[in-house]
mmCIF file of all heavy atoms in Angstrom:
data_model
loop_
_atom_site.group_PDB
_atom_site.id
_atom_site.type_symbol
_atom_site.label_atom_id
_atom_site.label_comp_id
_atom_site.label_asym_id
_atom_site.label_seq_id
_atom_site.Cartn_x
_atom_site.Cartn_y
_atom_site.Cartn_z
ATOM 1 N N LEU A 27 -2.769 15.540 12.054
ATOM 2 C CA LEU A 27 -4.206 15.328 12.253
ATOM 3 C C LEU A 27 -4.898 16.620 11.838
ATOM 4 O O LEU A 27 -4.396 17.713 12.133
ATOM 5 C CB LEU A 27 -4.515 15.035 13.725
ATOM 6 C CG LEU A 27 -3.880 13.783 14.334
ATOM 7 C CD1 LEU A 27 -4.264 13.669 15.802
ATOM 8 C CD2 LEU A 27 -4.326 12.535 13.583
ATOM 9 N N SER A 28 -6.033 16.495 11.194
ATOM 10 C CA SER A 28 -6.700 17.686 10.663
ATOM 11 C C SER A 28 -7.270 18.561 11.777
ATOM 12 O O SER A 28 -7.564 19.726 11.551
ATOM 13 C CB SER A 28 -7.817 17.276 9.707
ATOM 14 O OG SER A 28 -8.861 16.654 10.422
ATOM 15 N N THR A 29 -7.413 17.992 12.991
ATOM 16 C CA THR A 29 -8.038 18.740 14.083
ATOM 17 C C THR A 29 -7.024 19.293 15.087
ATOM 18 O O THR A 29 -7.406 19.925 16.061
ATOM 19 C CB THR A 29 -9.009 17.820 14.853
ATOM 20 O OG1 THR A 29 -8.323 16.597 15.149
ATOM 21 C CG2 THR A 29 -10.251 17.525 14.051
ATOM 22 N N CYS A 30 -5.753 19.032 14.851
ATOM 23 C CA CYS A 30 -4.723 19.337 15.849
ATOM 24 C C CYS A 30 -4.071 20.689 15.561
ATOM 25 O O CYS A 30 -3.581 20.933 14.465
ATOM 26 C CB CYS A 30 -3.715 18.195 15.843
ATOM 27 S SG CYS A 30 -2.086 18.598 16.439
ATOM 28 N N ALA A 31 -4.090 21.566 16.560
ATOM 29 C CA ALA A 31 -3.597 22.929 16.350
ATOM 30 C C ALA A 31 -2.069 22.981 16.251
ATOM 31 O O ALA A 31 -1.523 23.800 15.516
ATOM 32 C CB ALA A 31 -4.103 23.845 17.462
ATOM 33 N N TRP A 32 -1.357 22.121 16.995
ATOM 34 C CA TRP A 32 0.116 22.093 16.877
ATOM 35 C C TRP A 32 0.518 21.614 15.486
ATOM 36 O O TRP A 32 1.521 22.036 14.929
ATOM 37 C CB TRP A 32 0.748 21.185 17.933
ATOM 38 C CG TRP A 32 0.698 21.706 19.347
ATOM 39 C CD1 TRP A 32 0.142 21.078 20.416
ATOM 40 C CD2 TRP A 32 1.252 22.933 19.869
ATOM 41 N NE1 TRP A 32 0.306 21.835 21.555
ATOM 42 C CE2 TRP A 32 0.981 22.975 21.248
ATOM 43 C CE3 TRP A 32 1.954 23.998 19.286
ATOM 44 C CZ2 TRP A 32 1.380 24.038 22.059
ATOM 45 C CZ3 TRP A 32 2.353 25.061 20.092
ATOM 46 C CH2 TRP A 32 2.063 25.071 21.467
ATOM 47 N N GLU A 34 -1.117 22.132 12.758
ATOM 48 C CA GLU A 34 -1.317 23.243 11.841
ATOM 49 C C GLU A 34 -0.187 24.254 11.945
ATOM 50 O O GLU A 34 0.275 24.803 10.950
ATOM 51 C CB GLU A 34 -2.663 23.911 12.144
ATOM 52 C CG GLU A 34 -2.948 24.965 11.115
ATOM 53 C CD GLU A 34 -4.429 25.154 10.875
ATOM 54 O OE1 GLU A 34 -5.186 24.192 11.079
ATOM 55 O OE2 GLU A 34 -4.793 26.277 10.502
ATOM 56 N N LYS A 35 0.267 24.480 13.182
ATOM 57 C CA LYS A 35 1.395 25.410 13.379
ATOM 58 C C LYS A 35 2.632 24.900 12.656
ATOM 59 O O LYS A 35 3.387 25.672 12.070
ATOM 60 C CB LYS A 35 1.701 25.545 14.878
ATOM 61 C CG LYS A 35 0.829 26.553 15.559
ATOM 62 C CD LYS A 35 1.582 27.154 16.737
ATOM 63 C CE LYS A 35 0.910 28.416 17.183
ATOM 64 N NZ LYS A 35 1.753 29.485 17.559
ATOM 65 N N VAL A 52 -3.839 11.890 8.958
ATOM 66 C CA VAL A 52 -4.093 10.473 9.244
ATOM 67 C C VAL A 52 -5.525 10.242 9.738
ATOM 68 O O VAL A 52 -6.129 9.204 9.460
ATOM 69 C CB VAL A 52 -3.039 9.952 10.250
ATOM 70 C CG1 VAL A 52 -3.299 8.507 10.625
ATOM 71 C CG2 VAL A 52 -1.639 10.097 9.665
ATOM 72 N N ASP A 53 -6.085 11.220 10.433
ATOM 73 C CA ASP A 53 -7.441 11.039 10.961
ATOM 74 C C ASP A 53 -8.499 11.023 9.861
ATOM 75 O O ASP A 53 -9.619 10.569 10.092
ATOM 76 C CB ASP A 53 -7.783 12.143 11.983
ATOM 77 C CG ASP A 53 -7.783 13.534 11.360
ATOM 78 O OD1 ASP A 53 -6.801 13.871 10.669
ATOM 79 O OD2 ASP A 53 -8.764 14.271 11.552
ATOM 80 N N LEU A 54 -8.165 11.520 8.676
ATOM 81 C CA LEU A 54 -9.170 11.536 7.602
ATOM 82 C C LEU A 54 -9.148 10.242 6.791
ATOM 83 O O LEU A 54 -9.982 10.038 5.919
ATOM 84 C CB LEU A 54 -8.933 12.734 6.659
ATOM 85 C CG LEU A 54 -9.071 14.120 7.298
ATOM 86 C CD1 LEU A 54 -8.894 15.206 6.255
ATOM 87 C CD2 LEU A 54 -10.427 14.278 7.976
ATOM 88 N N LYS A 60 -5.949 3.775 7.195
ATOM 89 C CA LYS A 60 -5.662 4.482 8.440
ATOM 90 C C LYS A 60 -4.686 3.650 9.283
ATOM 91 O O LYS A 60 -3.694 4.164 9.791
ATOM 92 C CB LYS A 60 -6.968 4.732 9.203
ATOM 93 C CG LYS A 60 -6.803 5.502 10.479
ATOM 94 C CD LYS A 60 -8.161 5.829 11.104
ATOM 95 C CE LYS A 60 -8.021 6.361 12.523
ATOM 96 N NZ LYS A 60 -9.309 6.491 13.190
ATOM 97 N N ILE A 64 -0.933 4.565 10.526
ATOM 98 C CA ILE A 64 -0.549 4.544 11.946
ATOM 99 C C ILE A 64 0.720 3.698 12.130
ATOM 100 O O ILE A 64 1.657 4.098 12.812
ATOM 101 C CB ILE A 64 -1.717 4.012 12.817
ATOM 102 C CG1 ILE A 64 -2.856 5.037 12.828
ATOM 103 C CG2 ILE A 64 -1.255 3.688 14.232
ATOM 104 C CD1 ILE A 64 -4.130 4.581 13.514
ATOM 105 N N LYS A 72 7.425 5.812 18.070
ATOM 106 C CA LYS A 72 6.698 4.650 18.604
ATOM 107 C C LYS A 72 5.397 5.019 19.319
ATOM 108 O O LYS A 72 4.495 4.209 19.448
ATOM 109 C CB LYS A 72 7.597 3.792 19.490
ATOM 110 C CG LYS A 72 8.022 4.453 20.780
ATOM 111 C CD LYS A 72 8.732 3.438 21.677
ATOM 112 C CE LYS A 72 9.317 4.003 22.932
ATOM 113 N NZ LYS A 72 8.658 5.094 23.615
ATOM 114 N N ASN A 73 5.321 6.273 19.787
ATOM 115 C CA ASN A 73 4.085 6.724 20.446
ATOM 116 C C ASN A 73 2.964 7.029 19.469
ATOM 117 O O ASN A 73 1.833 7.228 19.875
ATOM 118 C CB ASN A 73 4.363 7.999 21.226
ATOM 119 C CG ASN A 73 4.955 7.705 22.578
ATOM 120 O OD1 ASN A 73 5.152 6.553 22.948
ATOM 121 N ND2 ASN A 73 5.245 8.755 23.310
ATOM 122 N N CYS A 74 3.301 7.135 18.194
ATOM 123 C CA CYS A 74 2.338 7.522 17.171
ATOM 124 C C CYS A 74 1.596 8.785 17.585
ATOM 125 O O CYS A 74 0.380 8.809 17.694
ATOM 126 C CB CYS A 74 1.350 6.398 16.872
ATOM 127 S SG CYS A 74 0.333 6.783 15.438
ATOM 128 N N SER A 75 2.370 9.845 17.860
ATOM 129 C CA SER A 75 1.752 11.123 18.205
ATOM 130 C C SER A 75 1.967 12.086 17.044
ATOM 131 O O SER A 75 2.771 11.827 16.151
ATOM 132 C CB SER A 75 2.365 11.648 19.502
ATOM 133 O OG SER A 75 3.759 11.786 19.368
ATOM 134 N N PHE A 76 1.237 13.184 17.099
ATOM 135 C CA PHE A 76 1.245 14.122 15.969
ATOM 136 C C PHE A 76 1.533 15.545 16.444
ATOM 137 O O PHE A 76 1.129 15.879 17.548
ATOM 138 C CB PHE A 76 -0.102 14.063 15.251
ATOM 139 C CG PHE A 76 -0.380 12.700 14.702
ATOM 140 C CD1 PHE A 76 -1.043 11.755 15.474
ATOM 141 C CD2 PHE A 76 0.063 12.344 13.443
ATOM 142 C CE1 PHE A 76 -1.269 10.477 14.977
ATOM 143 C CE2 PHE A 76 -0.162 11.071 12.946
ATOM 144 C CZ PHE A 76 -0.838 10.132 13.708
ATOM 145 N N GLY A 89 6.238 16.709 17.502
ATOM 146 C CA GLY A 89 5.697 17.897 18.158
ATOM 147 C C GLY A 89 6.122 19.158 17.417
ATOM 148 O O GLY A 89 6.953 19.106 16.508
ATOM 149 N N PHE A 90 5.529 20.276 17.827
ATOM 150 C CA PHE A 90 5.871 21.549 17.180
ATOM 151 C C PHE A 90 7.128 22.108 17.842
ATOM 152 O O PHE A 90 7.053 22.744 18.888
ATOM 153 C CB PHE A 90 4.704 22.533 17.312
ATOM 154 C CG PHE A 90 5.031 23.900 16.785
ATOM 155 C CD1 PHE A 90 5.244 24.102 15.433
ATOM 156 C CD2 PHE A 90 5.125 24.991 17.638
ATOM 157 C CE1 PHE A 90 5.558 25.377 14.943
ATOM 158 C CE2 PHE A 90 5.426 26.262 17.158
ATOM 159 C CZ PHE A 90 5.649 26.447 15.803
ATOM 160 N N MET B 13 -11.804 19.587 4.422
ATOM 161 C CA MET B 13 -12.931 18.900 5.057
ATOM 162 C C MET B 13 -13.388 19.657 6.310
ATOM 163 O O MET B 13 -12.578 20.302 6.963
ATOM 164 C CB MET B 13 -12.500 17.492 5.466
ATOM 165 C CG MET B 13 -13.560 16.463 5.153
ATOM 166 S SD MET B 13 -12.982 14.853 5.661
ATOM 167 C CE MET B 13 -14.449 13.907 5.478
ATOM 168 N N PHE B 46 -5.887 29.998 18.163
ATOM 169 C CA PHE B 46 -5.383 28.641 18.382
ATOM 170 C C PHE B 46 -6.454 27.799 19.094
ATOM 171 O O PHE B 46 -6.775 26.687 18.683
ATOM 172 C CB PHE B 46 -4.112 28.748 19.240
ATOM 173 C CG PHE B 46 -3.376 27.460 19.468
ATOM 174 C CD1 PHE B 46 -2.331 27.094 18.633
ATOM 175 C CD2 PHE B 46 -3.700 26.620 20.533
ATOM 176 C CE1 PHE B 46 -1.625 25.912 18.854
ATOM 177 C CE2 PHE B 46 -3.003 25.442 20.754
ATOM 178 C CZ PHE B 46 -1.964 25.088 19.913
ATOM 179 N N LYS B 49 -9.429 26.661 17.065
ATOM 180 C CA LYS B 49 -9.143 25.534 16.175
ATOM 181 C C LYS B 49 -9.379 24.224 16.919
ATOM 182 O O LYS B 49 -9.925 23.264 16.376
ATOM 183 C CB LYS B 49 -7.690 25.589 15.714
ATOM 184 C CG LYS B 49 -7.528 26.406 14.455
ATOM 185 C CD LYS B 49 -6.097 26.485 14.018
ATOM 186 C CE LYS B 49 -5.899 27.781 13.266
ATOM 187 N NZ LYS B 49 -4.560 28.318 13.411
ATOM 188 N N LEU B 50 -8.949 24.199 18.180
ATOM 189 C CA LEU B 50 -9.143 22.986 18.984
ATOM 190 C C LEU B 50 -10.612 22.765 19.295
ATOM 191 O O LEU B 50 -11.102 21.637 19.275
ATOM 192 C CB LEU B 50 -8.332 23.087 20.279
ATOM 193 C CG LEU B 50 -6.817 23.100 20.096
ATOM 194 C CD1 LEU B 50 -6.129 23.481 21.396
ATOM 195 C CD2 LEU B 50 -6.319 21.741 19.622
ATOM 196 N N GLY B 53 -12.087 21.315 16.424
ATOM 197 C CA GLY B 53 -11.661 19.915 16.376
ATOM 198 C C GLY B 53 -12.519 19.028 17.270
ATOM 199 O O GLY B 53 -12.889 17.916 16.900
ATOM 200 N N VAL B 56 -15.786 18.571 15.501
ATOM 201 C CA VAL B 56 -15.608 17.652 14.369
ATOM 202 C C VAL B 56 -15.621 16.218 14.898
ATOM 203 O O VAL B 56 -16.306 15.343 14.367
ATOM 204 C CB VAL B 56 -14.281 17.948 13.629
ATOM 205 C CG1 VAL B 56 -13.929 16.825 12.670
ATOM 206 C CG2 VAL B 56 -14.357 19.271 12.886
ATOM 207 N N ARG B 60 -18.115 13.150 14.019
ATOM 208 C CA ARG B 60 -17.724 11.925 13.316
ATOM 209 C C ARG B 60 -17.614 10.692 14.196
ATOM 210 O O ARG B 60 -17.762 9.583 13.717
ATOM 211 C CB ARG B 60 -16.444 12.133 12.506
ATOM 212 C CG ARG B 60 -15.233 12.467 13.325
ATOM 213 C CD ARG B 60 -14.019 12.636 12.420
ATOM 214 N NE ARG B 60 -12.911 13.205 13.178
ATOM 215 C CZ ARG B 60 -11.736 13.477 12.667
ATOM 216 N NH1 ARG B 60 -11.504 13.261 11.404
ATOM 217 N NH2 ARG B 60 -10.783 13.978 13.424
ATOM 218 N N PRO B 67 -8.564 16.433 20.170
ATOM 219 C CA PRO B 67 -8.279 16.779 18.773
ATOM 220 C C PRO B 67 -6.828 16.530 18.339
ATOM 221 O O PRO B 67 -6.547 16.495 17.143
ATOM 222 C CB PRO B 67 -8.609 18.279 18.690
ATOM 223 C CG PRO B 67 -8.742 18.766 20.075
ATOM 224 C CD PRO B 67 -8.983 17.607 20.967
ATOM 225 N N CYS B 68 -5.918 16.349 19.305
ATOM 226 C CA CYS B 68 -4.499 16.199 18.942
ATOM 227 C C CYS B 68 -3.993 14.774 19.076
ATOM 228 O O CYS B 68 -2.793 14.522 19.028
ATOM 229 C CB CYS B 68 -3.648 17.119 19.803
ATOM 230 S SG CYS B 68 -4.284 18.784 19.776
ATOM 231 N N ARG B 69 -4.933 13.850 19.294
ATOM 232 C CA ARG B 69 -4.526 12.448 19.379
ATOM 233 C C ARG B 69 -5.334 11.663 18.370
ATOM 234 O O ARG B 69 -6.441 12.032 18.028
ATOM 235 C CB ARG B 69 -4.780 11.902 20.778
ATOM 236 C CG ARG B 69 -3.872 12.516 21.832
ATOM 237 C CD ARG B 69 -4.290 12.032 23.192
ATOM 238 N NE ARG B 69 -3.329 12.302 24.227
ATOM 239 C CZ ARG B 69 -3.576 13.091 25.277
ATOM 240 N NH1 ARG B 69 -4.739 13.696 25.401
ATOM 241 N NH2 ARG B 69 -2.656 13.270 26.200
ATOM 242 N N ILE B 70 -4.769 10.555 17.920
ATOM 243 C CA ILE B 70 -5.488 9.748 16.939
ATOM 244 C C ILE B 70 -6.560 8.926 17.676
ATOM 245 O O ILE B 70 -6.277 8.258 18.657
ATOM 246 C CB ILE B 70 -4.519 8.871 16.114
ATOM 247 C CG1 ILE B 70 -5.249 8.131 15.012
ATOM 248 C CG2 ILE B 70 -3.689 7.925 16.976
ATOM 249 C CD1 ILE B 70 -5.379 8.907 13.747
ATOM 250 N N SER B 71 -7.800 9.016 17.229
ATOM 251 C CA SER B 71 -8.884 8.281 17.883
ATOM 252 C C SER B 71 -9.145 7.004 17.124
ATOM 253 O O SER B 71 -8.965 6.945 15.910
ATOM 254 C CB SER B 71 -10.168 9.093 17.877
ATOM 255 O OG SER B 71 -9.896 10.434 18.063
ATOM 256 N N TYR B 99 -2.001 18.548 26.818
ATOM 257 C CA TYR B 99 -1.269 18.128 25.620
ATOM 258 C C TYR B 99 -1.583 18.987 24.388
ATOM 259 O O TYR B 99 -0.701 19.359 23.628
ATOM 260 C CB TYR B 99 -1.571 16.643 25.360
ATOM 261 C CG TYR B 99 -0.893 16.082 24.145
ATOM 262 C CD1 TYR B 99 0.496 16.080 24.048
ATOM 263 C CD2 TYR B 99 -1.634 15.559 23.088
ATOM 264 C CE1 TYR B 99 1.119 15.569 22.931
ATOM 265 C CE2 TYR B 99 -1.015 15.044 21.971
ATOM 266 C CZ TYR B 99 0.372 15.059 21.896
ATOM 267 O OH TYR B 99 0.981 14.558 20.785
ATOM 268 N N CYS B 100 -2.847 19.327 24.202
ATOM 269 C CA CYS B 100 -3.261 20.124 23.034
ATOM 270 C C CYS B 100 -3.015 21.616 23.217
ATOM 271 O O CYS B 100 -3.096 22.373 22.249
ATOM 272 C CB CYS B 100 -4.749 19.980 22.790
ATOM 273 S SG CYS B 100 -5.257 18.375 22.238
ATOM 274 N N ALA B 101 -2.837 22.028 24.476
ATOM 275 C CA ALA B 101 -2.771 23.452 24.829
ATOM 276 C C ALA B 101 -4.135 24.135 24.698
ATOM 277 O O ALA B 101 -4.225 25.297 24.323
ATOM 278 C CB ALA B 101 -1.708 24.212 24.048
ATOM 279 N N VAL B 116 4.792 25.566 25.446
ATOM 280 C CA VAL B 116 5.445 24.800 24.377
ATOM 281 C C VAL B 116 4.689 23.497 24.132
ATOM 282 O O VAL B 116 3.869 23.078 24.934
ATOM 283 C CB VAL B 116 6.921 24.472 24.715
ATOM 284 C CG1 VAL B 116 7.790 25.714 24.678
ATOM 285 C CG2 VAL B 116 7.033 23.771 26.059
ATOM 286 N N SER B 117 4.992 22.894 22.995
ATOM 287 C CA SER B 117 4.389 21.615 22.650
ATOM 288 C C SER B 117 5.036 20.526 23.519
ATOM 289 O O SER B 117 6.250 20.449 23.631
ATOM 290 C CB SER B 117 4.628 21.424 21.148
ATOM 291 O OG SER B 117 4.696 20.111 20.751
ATOM 292 N N ASP B 120 3.312 13.372 24.734
ATOM 293 C CA ASP B 120 2.048 12.724 25.096
ATOM 294 C C ASP B 120 2.325 11.669 26.170
ATOM 295 O O ASP B 120 3.071 10.731 25.925
ATOM 296 C CB ASP B 120 1.441 12.059 23.848
ATOM 297 C CG ASP B 120 0.037 11.535 24.126
ATOM 298 O OD1 ASP B 120 -0.444 11.672 25.272
ATOM 299 O OD2 ASP B 120 -0.577 10.989 23.190
ATOM 300 N N LEU B 123 0.767 6.975 26.427
ATOM 301 C CA LEU B 123 1.324 5.643 26.276
ATOM 302 C C LEU B 123 1.991 5.154 27.556
ATOM 303 O O LEU B 123 1.736 4.040 28.012
ATOM 304 C CB LEU B 123 2.316 5.634 25.117
ATOM 305 C CG LEU B 123 2.513 4.270 24.522
ATOM 306 C CD1 LEU B 123 1.418 3.965 23.507
ATOM 307 C CD2 LEU B 123 3.876 4.181 23.841
#
Side-chain angles (χ1 to χ4, degrees):
Chain A
L27 298 179
S28 69
T29 49
C30 156
W32 289 123
E34 186 150 333
K35 276 209 164 220
V52 177
D53 63 311
L54 297 183
K60 182 174 169 188
I64 291 173
K72 67 171 174 34
N73 277 359
C74 189
S75 58
F76 299 90
F90 175 67
Chain B
M13 222 180 170
F46 185 94
K49 271 179 208 149
L50 294 169
V56 167
R60 63 179 169 181
C68 309
R69 292 174 167 117
I70 185 87
S71 323
Y99 179 60
C100 291
V116 290
S117 152
D120 188 359
L123 204 83

